[in-house]
Amino acid sequence: MTTDQDLSVGQLAARSGMSVSALHFYERRGLITSRRTTGNQRRYDRSILRRVAVIGAAQRAGIPLATVARAFAELPTDGVPDQADWQRLSAAWQQEIDKRIAQLEHLRDRLDGCIGCGCLSLAACGFVNPDDAAGSRGIRSTLLDPDPPI
């Protein structure tokens, strides 16, 4: 049963800033849920706005949707998660966000060295990659990766 507090997919899109197609995608992935009207139209509880906001924040921070799904699995499925629920979720992501920040800082601090040397080619760079030694590691930019694969 839907209520006048429920949002249509268009209303949810307008309120959240997400596209309708993104909301449908999140629903297919199980990140958000809707009910159907007798006319088979989707209706979302207003509490879904918070989940969509968290999804957007997570994506901006580079947190994969699979990680978001695992976190949402720990939240109540009926009703609105409370402040303690959200604090547990954010605490769980703190370490991952800190790691991403460190990776980005590592990349930022090394980019100008490669670009600034003037050779424009890691294959020809005798400073960072003499004799293209990194070429044997594959196609990733392993020289700029703080945690290169072993």
Side-chain angles (χ1 to χ4, degrees):
M1 174 171 210
T2 61
T3 69
D4 57 348
Q5 292 294 311
D6 291 336
L7 301 171
S8 70
V9 70
Q11 290 170 321
L12 182 59
R15 292 279 310 272
S16 68
M18 297 281 185
S19 68
V20 169
S21 61
L23 295 171
H24 288 168
F25 175 77
Y26 300 147
E27 189 169 357
R28 284 192 307 274
R29 296 282 306 264
L31 297 170
I32 61 175
T33 58
S34 67
R35 294 181 292 280
R36 296 293 182 141
T37 66
T38 55
N40 204 31
Q41 296 175 332
R42 286 179 171 94
R43 292 293 184 263
Y44 298 90
D45 187 88
R46 286 191 182 283
S47 66
I48 297 298
L49 278 168
R50 291 184 187 193
R51 290 178 187 255
V52 172
V54 170
I55 293 167
Q59 288 189 303
R60 285 189 299 280
I63 296 173
L65 289 178
T67 303
V68 175
R70 283 192 301 277
F72 280 4
E74 301 295 319
L75 296 176
T77 56
D78 55 342
V80 179
D82 62 20
Q83 185 173 1
D85 292 323
W86 292 119
Q87 286 177 337
R88 268 193 319 280
L89 184 145
S90 65
W93 288 350
Q94 187 73 40
Q95 186 176 12
E96 186 164 345
I97 291 170
D98 288 343
K99 181 179 177 181
R100 289 182 185 280
I101 289 169
Q103 289 171 333
L104 289 169
E105 287 174 342
H106 179 86
L107 179 62
R108 179 203 60 211
D109 294 346
R110 282 148 186 84
L111 274 178
D112 64 345
C114 290
I115 295 168
C117 76
C119 72
L120 301 179
S121 169
L122 288 179
C125 181
F127 176 68
V128 177
N129 186 24
D131 301 320
D132 194 24
S136 64
R137 298 184 202 156
I139 59 172
R140 289 189 53 205
S141 300
T142 58
L143 297 174
L144 298 175
D145 190 345
D147 299 316
I150 297 175

